[in-house]
């Protein structure tokens, strides 16, 4: 399930719900990304999406992850709008028969969300506004999945 | 005529997010925007800016109609 929300969420509640009724799942891996304060440099983070398009593009990434790692299920929840430091921005959960697939699929999904999912992120701090674009490290992270089979 | 959408820093540069614009192709729309606003024109030609036509990424030019939705997308960053 892929969800965008402009409301704060509790990652633990999402994991509890995702874990329900799974008698054939051996492993669930989750990732929660939080907004950092950057020592006061970031007072608020604003995330913009392209409604409809953003969900569909994430859906394509999710389909790739399902095939590649033979996932039983996955969930992605992503915040949009204004986010305060310490709040969760993104939650990813993957369910598989065994742990390796669940871990790797979670890692894969996050690398794609960081630099390929249609979001635009603006930091506001004492020095003004700044649009965040993928760093060289983000490109290197995604390249790992393109060179291995 | 098409509905044009700008995202991220592009809409900050232009000062708008959405408007209708005359033009019969993606490149014609982009040239029209560059003519009206030099800073936006430069940003639209910058590295990593993609174009979505009716919510599908298009590489190169394509025809647009009055019902087309054209979005200019700067480099994306989620998570």
């Amino acid at each position: 399930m892929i969800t965008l929300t402009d409301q704060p969420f509790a990652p633990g509640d999402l994991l509890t719900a995702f874990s329900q009724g799974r008698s054939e799942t051996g492993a669930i891996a989750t990732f929660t990304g939080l907004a950092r304060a950057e020592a006061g440099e970031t007072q608020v983070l604003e995330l913009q999406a392209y409604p409809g398009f953003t969900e569909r593009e994430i859906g394509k990434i999710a389909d790739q992850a399902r095939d590649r790692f033979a996932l039983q299920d996955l969930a992605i929840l992503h915040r949009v709008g204004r986010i305060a430091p310490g709040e969760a921005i993104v939650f990813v959960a993957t369910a598989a028969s065994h742990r390796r697939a669940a871990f790797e699929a979670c890692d894969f999904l996050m690398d794609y969300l960081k630099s390929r999912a249609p979001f635009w992120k603006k930091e506001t701090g004492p020095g003004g506004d700044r649009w965040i674009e993928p760093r060289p490290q983000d490109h290197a992270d995604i390249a790992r999945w393109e060179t291995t089979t | 005529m098409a509905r044009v959408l700008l995202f991220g820093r592009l809409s900050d540069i232009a000062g708008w997010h959405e408007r209708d614009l005359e033009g019969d192709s993606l490149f014609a729309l982009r040239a029209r925007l560059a003519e009206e606003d030099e800073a936006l024109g430069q940003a639209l030609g910058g590295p990593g800016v993609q174009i979505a036509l009716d919510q599908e990424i298009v590489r190169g030019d394509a025809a647009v109609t009055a019902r087309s939705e054209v979005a200019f997308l700067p480099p994306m960053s989620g998570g």
Side-chain angles (χ1 to χ4, degrees):
Chain A
M1 194 173 63
I2 292 155
T3 312
L4 303 186
T5 178
D6 60 3
Q7 297 297 314
F9 63 87
D13 294 350
L14 298 177
L15 172 59
T16 300
F18 188 76
S19 307
Q20 296 296 314
R22 294 196 181 277
S23 52
E24 296 300 329
T25 294
I28 289 173
T30 70
F31 175 86
T32 304
L34 306 181
R36 286 189 308 262
E38 306 280 15
E41 288 302 305
T42 305
Q43 289 158 339
V44 70
L45 204 60
E46 197 163 340
L47 263 151
Q48 185 185 29
Y50 181 0
F53 178 73
T54 297
E55 291 93 325
R56 249 194 337 276
E57 291 295 306
I58 296 173
K60 291 180 189 171
I61 297 166
D63 287 345
Q64 282 182 41
R66 275 194 192 90
D67 289 350
R68 182 164 180 164
F69 303 100
L71 291 181
Q72 296 171 339
D73 197 8
L74 64 83
I76 298 171
L77 186 85
H78 209 295
R79 283 284 297 277
V80 294
R82 293 165 69 83
I83 301 159
E87 288 183 0
I89 301 179
V90 61
F91 174 85
V92 173
T94 54
S97 299
H98 301 285
R99 71 181 183 285
R100 186 69 54 213
F103 278 135
E104 287 189 348
C106 206
D107 197 15
F108 171 92
L109 285 166
M110 275 314 304
D111 284 347
Y112 273 81
L113 287 169
K114 283 303 269 193
S115 54
R116 298 284 166 85
F119 291 103
W120 297 275
K121 195 158 54 177
K122 185 159 72 173
E123 268 180 10
T124 301
D129 293 346
R130 190 171 75 91
W131 287 97
I132 310 295
E133 293 190 353
R135 303 160 303 150
Q137 183 63 52
D138 294 323
H139 294 301
D141 287 343
I142 206 163
R144 295 182 303 148
W145 304 106
E146 284 159 1
T147 52
T148 58
T149 50
Chain B
M1 182 83 93
R3 170 55 51 105
V4 175
L5 305 175
L6 301 180
F7 286 88
R9 60 183 163 82
L10 299 177
S11 53
D12 274 3
I13 290 166
W16 54 271
H17 169 57
E18 184 172 340
R19 60 180 275 208
D20 290 327
L21 194 68
E22 290 290 344
D24 56 9
S25 75
L26 297 177
F27 287 4
L29 289 169
R30 189 171 62 186
R32 183 81 191 263
L33 291 170
E35 232 170 69
E36 286 180 12
D37 183 337
E38 196 182 331
L40 177 61
Q42 275 189 7
L44 290 173
V49 174
Q50 301 185 87
I51 305 177
L53 172 58
D54 294 326
Q55 304 208 347
E56 288 292 338
I57 299 279
V58 173
R59 313 215 180 272
D61 204 2
V64 302
T65 69
R67 283 190 299 275
S68 297
E69 181 176 286
V70 176
F72 292 92
L73 313 172
M76 301 164 177
S77 176

